[in-house]
Amino acid sequence: MNTHDKDNWPDDLEALQRRYRSEATEEPPELLDQAVLNRARREVERRATRPWNFGWMHATASVALVVLGLALILELRESAELAKDHGAAIEARDPRADAQSVRETDAGAEATFRQRKAEQMEAEQEIQKSVLLRELREDAVRPTAPSAAGAPPVVIVRPAPPLQQNEPDDPASAALGDSAATPARGQRQERTASAAAPLEAEASPDEWETDGDLLVFSSAAEWLDYIIGLRQVGEEDAWRSELDAFRQAFPDYPVPEALTRPDANGDEATAGDG
Amino acid sequence: MRDLNDEELMLRYAAGEMQAFEELYGRYRAALYRYFRRQVPDEATANDLYQGCWEKAIAARSRYRARAPFRAWLFRIAHNHVVDHHRAQRPGADTEPDQLPGAPADPGDLADDTSRRARLAELLGTLPFEQRNTLLLHFESGLDLEAIGQLCGVGRETVKSRLRYATRKLKQALSP
């Protein structure tokens, strides 16, 4: 190996380059030149026909995208913080306390409701009672012929109870008419022996309604006398029912012993409370 | 236009001046054509590669920033275009062909009555691709060893080594 040649390779390379430049004379054909130049010209013309420059549009679009992205991120962060605070407040509350408070609230409301309902029912009952009493009074207060002694008008009107003894010659009926339960004043309508015979007032029959059997008592005592009379004649059902009605109408009125002592069967006269 | 350097002309063409490109094209058309002509055995393929290279340069004009010399930018496109062509011709191959198809395997096989131009061209075809390509870049691009190394992706010493081996081989083949 020639070391001189090895050390002179740059000179050899330069010699080769000179030879290459002298020999390499090729050039591209003219058609190829025209093809390249036409291509370059079309690119310039194509860009010139565009009404806008994409350069600034790209920058503007990029900036707008960044701004929108930041706004969206901030909005999401605020929403997340609000949701976090609200969730913490909900979690901080004791659910058991909430349930207890709800139960207490419900119990109190229910108690109030029941109380109001009971009061309402009582009021309604009072109203009904007052209406009934008013009706009773209206029925009872009928213009009657004044007695000779100026006695007060009749205050008690009762439908006659059904009697077991319906024969006109029934000795009980006769006894009833002879009983001591004779009203001292006022008028008294008694049921006759015939159940079909309506009672008629001895005075002012035109002022009374005769749509049913009616008993008219001028006082509670008179009514009691009538009841005693029913018991004496053996009208068990009748005097018991009348006594019950009397005690409801006059709960505080003393009932005579004749109506409270047991009967022959040992049954005491009972009546509903009131 | 003739007083402007290559970088200014390319920037002007990127701005839309066609005359700038015509001037630039006139400066590099022959060197680039010979570079491609020595890389492939037939003229038609060389023409296709040549036209394709310029089309790539035209398409990339807007991205040219003159950070590197225009010639380095242009021959980088040309080098990559050649490499892509060889790889397309030999799919699956990791390296470019050492010798051009049709080139004699031994420089000594060349006929004695072949013209000097033809002999040198044929001798270049006998070199391996790396040595041939490096030698052609040195002959046609006017770039220094450092720039050639950056273009090929190798170091300066590798470029020197390739040039030395190519020179020795051609010298031996051309010596009487």
Side-chain angles (χ1 to χ4, degrees), chain A residues 258-272:
Chain A
L259 295 176
T260 59
R261 69 174 182 272
D263 56 4
N265 296 329
D267 295 334
E268 295 184 356
T270 59

Side-chain angles (χ1 to χ4, degrees), chain B residues 60-139:
Chain B
R61 69 191 185 283
S62 61
R63 297 190 297 272
Y64 180 73
R65 293 294 180 269
R67 284 191 288 266
F70 172 78
R71 62 177 61 246
W73 181 77
L74 181 62
F75 277 93
R76 178 188 292 273
I77 295 175
H79 167 75
N80 294 337
H81 198 51
V82 170
V83 171
D84 293 341
H85 169 74
H86 287 307
R87 289 177 178 175
Q89 295 296 320
R90 300 170 64 245
D94 295 334
T95 59
E96 290 73 20
D98 290 341
Q99 292 182 335
L100 292 178
D106 190 347
D109 295 337
L110 294 175
D112 294 334
D113 57 353
T114 307
S115 61
R116 296 178 62 194
R117 183 182 305 175
R119 288 190 64 185
L120 183 57
E122 292 178 358
L123 288 174
L124 287 174
T126 63
L127 296 175
F129 172 77
E130 291 82 4
Q131 296 179 14
R132 181 176 67 251
N133 184 60
T134 303
L135 197 64
L136 288 173
L137 287 174
H138 179 72
F139 289 164

Side-chain angles (χ1 to χ4, degrees), chain A residues 70-91:
Chain A
L70 290 176
L72 182 61
I73 291 173
L74 293 175
E75 185 69 22
L76 290 176
R77 290 183 64 181
E78 286 184 8
S79 299
E81 291 178 358
L82 288 176
K84 184 179 180 181
D85 294 341
H86 183 64
I90 292 175
E91 293 176 356

